[in-house]
Amino acid sequence: SDIGESLGCKVNDFGWYEVDPFGQTNVPGVYAAGDIAGTHGQSVLNSAASGSMAASRIIGEILTAKAGF
């Protein structure tokens, strides 16, 4: 899928989205996890872990926005 690219997400030389340790791409509010992010190798366990990290960051952002910080 090219959804991320159509949103403006940067892709590295391997075809994976460039993300920070929490899965955030260069586009605010857009996250990538698992094999498409390519940060933790290609395995089911690593994909699940990167998805969990992204989810924790997203939840933190939502809670921070609701609290008005």
Side-chain angles (χ1 to χ4, degrees):
S1 173
D2 64 351
I3 293 172
E5 290 176 78
S6 68
L7 294 171
C9 298
K10 291 182 183 177
V11 177
N12 66 20
D13 294 336
F14 299 104
W16 297 325
Y17 292 110
E18 294 182 7
V19 296
D20 71 6
F22 290 96
Q24 186 167 8
T25 67
N26 61 299
V27 178
V30 179
Y31 290 78
D35 292 350
I36 196 67
T39 56
H40 301 290
Q42 295 181 321
S43 78
V44 172
L45 291 176
N46 288 331
S47 292
S50 69
S52 179
M53 293 294 288
S56 68
R57 172 62 67 89
I58 293 166
I59 291 167
E61 287 183 3
I62 291 169
L63 292 174
T64 299
K66 284 190 150 244
F69 294 124

